[in-house]
Amino acid sequence: MISENGTYMIAEVGINHNGDLDKALEMIRQAKQAGCDAVKFQKRTVEIVYTAEELARARENVFGPTNGDLKRGLEFGRAEYDAIDRTARDLQIDWFASPWDEPSVDFLMAYETPYIKIASAMVTDRQFLEYCAAAGRPLLVSTGMSDLGMIRRSVDIIEKAGGQIACLYHCTSTYPTLDEEINLLGIKTLQKAFPHLEIGFSGHEQGILPSICAATLGACSVERHVTLDRSDWGSDQKASLEMAEMAELVGKVRRFEVVRGDGVLRFYEDEKPIAEKLRRNDTLSAA
């Protein structure tokens, strides 16, 4: 179970490394220091995910004059992922990634990661879902841009193909997400609809309060985009937590796990001297 040792906290690096391996490795180190259980990346085969016209579109960026220059510049290859794998193993933090195409699934399967993450953008692609299910690795599945009927169909496709869903994530795919669109009670809806699955929360909101609330509503895992600097360039930076905020989020979720308790009402030993001091009579204890 993904929640075996408490709420599974994921720092999504995504493409916030901006194509800089040193920055990516520093994000792994800081995620570990923040108390996260895992870091997540994204993997694309650029020529499959984007059309030739889209790649040729003019777009001035740090890598060149076209959108293709940007997309290729943001992608890591084998050497970079080997370094990511070594760093994560040395630090004893899980890592995995969201593949956006079938060759990227094959690429990631070369590493002994605990999960494959299916991004919200891919959750309606039957061929891709079946391919991931056939890979044989436990799947984490985000559900942004989907209503309950769409989610049911996605889960059904994966399970009929023999896939194991380790966690299904309530998610809204806007960046940053407005408070009125976070809809945390969607966690309860998914718990009721899929009682055999663990339900998590993948958030893109500003601040940490909704993610803490997600844990209190029973999310077994919380995923948040992270960045070293929210003012850095890139499409996901503004919807990301800086590392100090991620550390605060993890700390508050860990405290919640303690204060939640087990629900058994008991007379604590530490209360007994207080009871002796404050109670006028005790006519119930011997009853």
Side-chain angles (χ1 to χ4, degrees):
M1 294 177 63
I2 193 172
S3 61
E4 185 176 3
N5 297 312
T7 310
Y8 192 73
M9 303 296 295
I10 304 170
E12 176 166 7
V13 175
I15 54 174
N16 279 350
H17 50 70
N18 288 344
D20 184 334
L21 177 60
D22 289 338
K23 183 177 289 186
L25 300 183
E26 179 61 20
M27 294 174 83
I28 297 173
R29 287 189 284 268
Q30 291 200 26
K32 175 65 176 183
Q33 292 171 1
C36 296
D37 297 292
V39 289
K40 187 185 84 79
F41 293 85
Q42 297 176 15
K43 184 73 179 101
R44 296 170 175 84
T45 305
V46 171
E47 286 73 20
I48 294 177
V49 174
Y50 303 99
T51 65
E53 293 76 15
E54 179 65 21
L55 293 175
R57 182 170 59 84
R59 184 179 184 179
E60 286 292 334
N61 62 86
V62 298
F63 301 109
T66 70
N67 195 39
D69 292 324
L70 175 62
K71 300 305 182 184
R72 294 184 185 97
L74 290 173
E75 279 304 313
F76 284 160
R78 184 66 66 191
E80 290 83 5
Y81 272 101
D82 284 350
I84 286 168
D85 186 61
R86 285 193 303 270
T87 300
R89 289 182 180 278
D90 287 346
L91 293 172
Q92 296 185 309
I93 184 172
D94 290 345
W95 81 270
F96 46 90
S98 297
W100 287 61
D101 55 84
E102 290 82 354
S104 291
V105 176
D106 296 340
F107 178 95
L108 293 169
M109 287 297 292
Y111 299 96
E112 294 182 5
T113 58
Y115 306 106
I116 289 175
K117 177 72 190 294
I118 296 179
S120 295
M122 308 304 298
V123 79
T124 57
D125 187 327
R126 175 185 290 271
Q127 177 180 313
F128 182 78
L129 295 179
E130 290 176 341
Y131 198 88
C132 289
R137 195 155 293 177
L139 305 177
L140 308 180
V141 182
S142 277
T143 62
M145 302 178 285
S146 304
D147 60 26
L148 185 56
M150 296 163 71
I151 297 168
R152 286 187 187 278
R153 289 190 289 275
S154 299
V155 169
D156 188 57
I157 289 168
I158 292 169
E159 293 184 336
K160 283 185 176 178
Q164 175 193 348
I165 299 176
C167 186
L168 189 66
Y169 288 79
H170 173 58
C171 178
T172 302
S173 296
T174 53
Y175 306 83
T177 305
L178 300 175
D179 282 359
E180 55 268 31
E181 295 178 343
I182 296 173
N183 191 23
L184 287 177
L185 286 179
I187 294 168
K188 292 296 186 183
T189 299
L190 292 177
Q191 288 170 338
K192 182 177 180 180
F194 304 100
H196 65 297
L197 296 179
E198 293 200 277
I199 306 301
F201 174 68
S202 178
H204 309 109
E205 72 276 7
Q206 294 180 326
I208 66 173
L209 178 61
S211 294
I212 297 168
C213 293
T216 70
L217 288 170
C220 71
S221 174
V222 173
E223 176 187 72
R224 291 297 305 272
H225 281 267
V226 294
T227 179
L228 297 179
D229 184 350
R230 202 158 34 239
S231 66
D232 203 354
W233 66 270
S235 58
D236 292 338
Q237 307 287 358
K238 295 294 186 295
S240 300
L241 296 178
E242 292 186 350
M243 290 301 190
E245 295 172 301
M246 191 67 189
E248 183 182 6
L249 170 59
V250 173
K252 290 185 182 302
V253 169
R254 296 296 177 234
R255 186 179 182 194
F256 159 69
E257 292 170 345
V258 174
V259 303
R260 174 179 54 197
D262 59 10
V264 176
L265 300 182
R266 51 177 65 83
F267 188 179
Y268 290 98
E269 287 296 320
D270 286 348
E271 292 182 297
K272 291 180 179 179
I274 309 301
E276 292 177 3
K277 179 179 178 181
L278 298 181
R279 282 179 172 159
R280 190 185 70 175
N281 293 308
D282 183 357
T283 58
L284 301 179
S285 296

